[in-house]
Amino acid sequence: MTVVEERRAGTRGAGRLEDCLAACAVHSGKLVGTVDPRRVELAERLRRLMALWSTRPAAGTAPQGPSGAAAVLKRVVKGGGGGTRLGNDVLDALVSVADKALHCGYDDERRLAELISGTVVGLRENSRAGWRLRARVLEAMGDETAAVEAFERYLSLTANDGTGVAAKIAGMRFAAEREGELLELLGRDCPAAKDVPARPVTELWDEGLELRARGGEEEARPLLVAALLEHARSGAPVADRQDLLAQYLDLRVRDARADGDPAAVGHLATTARLWADQHRARRRGPVADPTMGDVEWIGLGEFRNMIAGRSVCLVANSGRVATGSLGREIDDYDLVVRFNSFRLEPAHTGTRTDIHVSIHKHGFNWEKPVTTRLVLGGLSHEWKYSLRNRLVPGAQQYLGDESLRWPLRNVGKVGPEAWPAIPTSGFNMLWLLDFLDVNPVIDLIGFDFYESGAYRVEAAMKLPITTVHEYTSEKDWVLERARRVTDMRISLR
């Protein structure tokens, strides 16, 4: 049985709990002195697992002796630790270790995560956490067929898909279909590829590149296409094939441009579209959920292009706005941004809303028609759950994807050490606009950081002004960058 067949049969990585713990103990020793922050986090999770297991009583005995990796190794050699029983505490600790191991992104850690996931589902065949972990490991290993099966097993065990697994499955299946169409098209466009004698993918690819380097583009093409087709047939990791496909398409576009033949470039349009479709679907999946309506996802780059060169104002939900009379001026900006539970009063606030920015936990104004809706959230699975359950079909044309989910943290990489408080929706948005720096005018209307109280829709007025944010720090940040400040308007550009 091949490695791929073992993974798909669910036997690859499966083993006894004692063997799994021994591997964790050994891996913990390998991380001593590491300076990679991801491996440092993994080492800490391994330390917790070792401490937990070494202090658990073996069958009918009281805990004793030293703790840590050495104790775990000693106990598993003796066959201690309660046989193959897997308690919830150990399961949670193992899943946590595997999660951090996957985050590291290295082969050694992926193999550790594979061993853990196989052990967990082997001992707990109905563990939701185990099957979701198993699916993520298989996806990281590049075996999408087995990953889809594991994700489906997870879905069969849960009544609430709060982590977007159904959408991920749809995306992986869609991507596989488009990739199949792409490879079929490449084979039709280069029929000589089928006559290339079977050889390892690396040999075919390297020989093709060598021929190209000597000026033999036409002779190289069948070898490169044959390498791609053989890679797909072999069941090798999807990520590796994505890299090869991207390289091949880049070479083909370069050749077409060098020849100066517009028809040749145009012929590649279908090929490029299929590649883009399958690549995009793997990253975020098709919007298959009916509650999404006909919305079009946009990422950070697409959002930047959409707002570039346009004047923009951000309207606060403050008592100061309610006392002003800037409604007509607000509507004169190219883009009007409002937040969460905004309230419209034409004379005071204006009437237009082009971009609605809302924290995912609030359900206010999601039914209001806007061009773009950016939903913010710190935790990806909770954010996805809110989108599926709160988004109103047809109420927005564009919806920010995960790259716009939490700008200060995810785009700016500003962590809790540098900014301890949870950033507000308003601060996330104005930080993003300042970071992108593509607008000639960025004005904040009525921003007094709730010194004048709140001005919201009626249903939200009873909510207290939350204390999880640090308004003073946000105010200081804004005023440090302000170019003009009046009673009602702060201009950053």
Side-chain angles (χ1 to χ4, degrees), residues 7 43 57-58 66 89 95 105 108 110 138 176 223 259 270 280 299 309 352-353 355 390 414 444 477 490:
R7 287 198 183 115
D89 53 351
V95 170
D108 283 353
R110 286 196 189 100
L138 292 167
L223 291 171
D259 294 341
T270 300
R280 186 184 302 112
R352 284 180 35 235
T353 306
I355 302 172
R390 289 200 168 113
V414 180
L444 284 60
W477 186 95
I490 302 174

Side-chain angles (χ1 to χ4, degrees), residues 62 87 152-153 177 198 202 205-206 221 227 229 277 294 297 336 356 378 392 422 445-446 451 471 482 488:
E152 288 179 329
R153 181 65 183 274
E177 291 174 3
T202 52
W205 191 259
D206 290 345
R221 189 178 170 195
L229 296 177
D277 282 350
D294 296 324
W297 290 100
V336 179
H356 178 214
V392 178
I422 297 175
I445 306 296
E451 292 175 3
Y471 297 107
M488 286 294 296

Side-chain angles (χ1 to χ4, degrees), residues 3 30 74 107 118 142 162 208 223 271 323 339 489:
V3 169
K30 295 179 181 178
K74 182 177 179 181
D107 288 342
L223 291 171
T271 306
T323 63
F339 303 96
R489 198 185 324 248

Side-chain angles (χ1 to χ4, degrees), residues 50-93:
M50 300 298 98
L52 172 66
W53 184 255
S54 63
T55 56
R56 286 178 91 244
T61 65
Q64 57 183 351
S67 62
V72 171
L73 281 172
K74 182 177 179 181
R75 293 182 64 190
V76 297
V77 168
K78 290 183 176 181
T84 58
R85 290 179 297 177
L86 180 58
N88 290 336
D89 53 351
V90 178
L91 183 147
D92 291 343

Side-chain angles (χ1 to χ4, degrees), residues 35 46 53 62 73 78 83 157 208 218 240 290 382-383 402 410 416:
V35 294
L46 283 165
W53 184 255
L73 281 172
K78 290 183 176 181
L157 296 169
E218 290 304 315
D240 294 346
E382 292 184 358
W383 174 79
E402 190 135 12
N410 296 348

Side-chain angles (χ1 to χ4, degrees), residues 203-263:
E203 288 185 16
L204 292 169
W205 191 259
D206 290 345
E207 185 178 338
L209 293 181
E210 187 177 342
L211 279 172
R212 281 188 58 87
R214 297 201 302 264
E217 288 84 358
E218 290 304 315
E219 295 85 352
R221 189 178 170 195
L223 291 171
L224 297 176
V225 173
L228 290 169
L229 296 177
E230 178 58 31
H231 196 282
R233 283 193 294 266
S234 70
V238 170
D240 294 346
R241 187 161 61 255
Q242 291 296 294
D243 289 340
L244 296 182
L245 281 168
Q247 291 179 46
Y248 178 75
L249 292 178
D250 184 58
L251 293 173
R252 294 286 292 127
V253 170
R254 194 182 308 168
D255 291 345
R257 286 175 174 168
D259 294 341
D261 184 359

Side-chain angles (χ1 to χ4, degrees), residues 389-411:
N389 288 275
R390 289 200 168 113
L391 205 68
V392 178
Q396 55 280 309
Q397 183 177 354
Y398 301 104
L399 178 67
D401 71 7
E402 190 135 12
S403 66
L404 292 164
R405 172 174 59 81
W406 207 227
L408 182 68
R409 304 293 197 212
N410 296 348
V411 179

